[in-house]
Amino acid sequence: MMSVTLEICVDNPQGLARAIEGGADRVELCASLDLGGFTPAPGLIAQAGRADMPVYAMIRPRAGNFCYSGLDEQAMMADIDAVRAAGLAGIVIGAARENGALDTAMLHRLLRHAQGLKATLHRVFDLTPDPMTALQPAAPCARPESHSAPCV
């Protein structure tokens, strides 16, 4: 029998408190959900680090597409370090190439840097031009117990 995990996306301290009080199984921590979600602020990450439940932080440095530059990647690496330092359970990541396909090379680098944290692939997967082709390399992200295996 497959169990259902209730994950709540929040982007402020009040939302975090309500998710905890409401019995969520896991929290996805973001900033600016109304804009699609970005990496949360350090103060919110610190608050979430004290939560008694798994919290995954969105790692997304800016609005727009998911095609990231080297500078974006450096910022994402630093954000992953902050998430780890705060004691959060995992990260939510995604990266694409200009053609919309998953940028598996960048995702591998981010995952190697995030070793020890669980990882989930965000909605970048929904935007790929060929989800069936993207499914096989992304499948390990769908299994929380495989957090040490690369997601892509």
Side-chain angles (χ1 to χ4, degrees):
M1 182 175 186
M2 192 162 104
S3 65
V4 174
T5 299
L6 175 61
E7 179 180 74
I8 305 294
C9 295
V10 302
D11 64 357
N12 59 56
Q14 294 78 17
L16 177 61
R18 288 184 186 123
I20 293 167
E21 292 166 6
D25 297 309
R26 182 171 64 213
V27 168
E28 181 178 314
L29 194 68
C30 303
S32 303
L33 280 172
D34 56 331
L35 299 175
F38 305 113
T39 303
L44 186 55
I45 290 173
Q47 284 181 327
R50 295 187 294 273
D52 192 22
M53 66 170 38
V55 177
Y56 288 34
M58 173 70 71
I59 304 296
R60 184 177 177 209
R62 60 167 174 74
N65 64 28
F66 299 106
C67 300
Y68 297 119
S69 69
L71 292 173
D72 290 326
E73 185 175 352
Q74 289 174 16
M76 294 165 78
M77 297 286 191
D79 290 337
I80 290 168
D81 292 340
V83 166
R84 181 184 290 107
L88 273 59
I91 58 172
V92 181
I93 60 171
R97 296 192 303 254
E98 290 294 329
N99 66 2
L102 294 179
D103 184 343
T104 56
M106 182 177 289
L107 289 169
H108 277 289
R109 291 190 301 272
L110 292 170
L111 289 167
R112 275 194 305 273
H113 191 76
Q115 187 170 1
L117 295 170
K118 295 183 180 182
T120 298
L121 186 62
H122 65 48
R123 70 185 189 99
V124 70
F125 178 81
D126 300 330
L127 303 174
T128 60
D130 185 358
M132 293 309 291
T133 300
L135 183 59
Q136 184 174 3
C141 285
R143 294 188 308 273
E145 68 277 3
S146 69
H147 62 81
S148 61
C151 292
V152 291

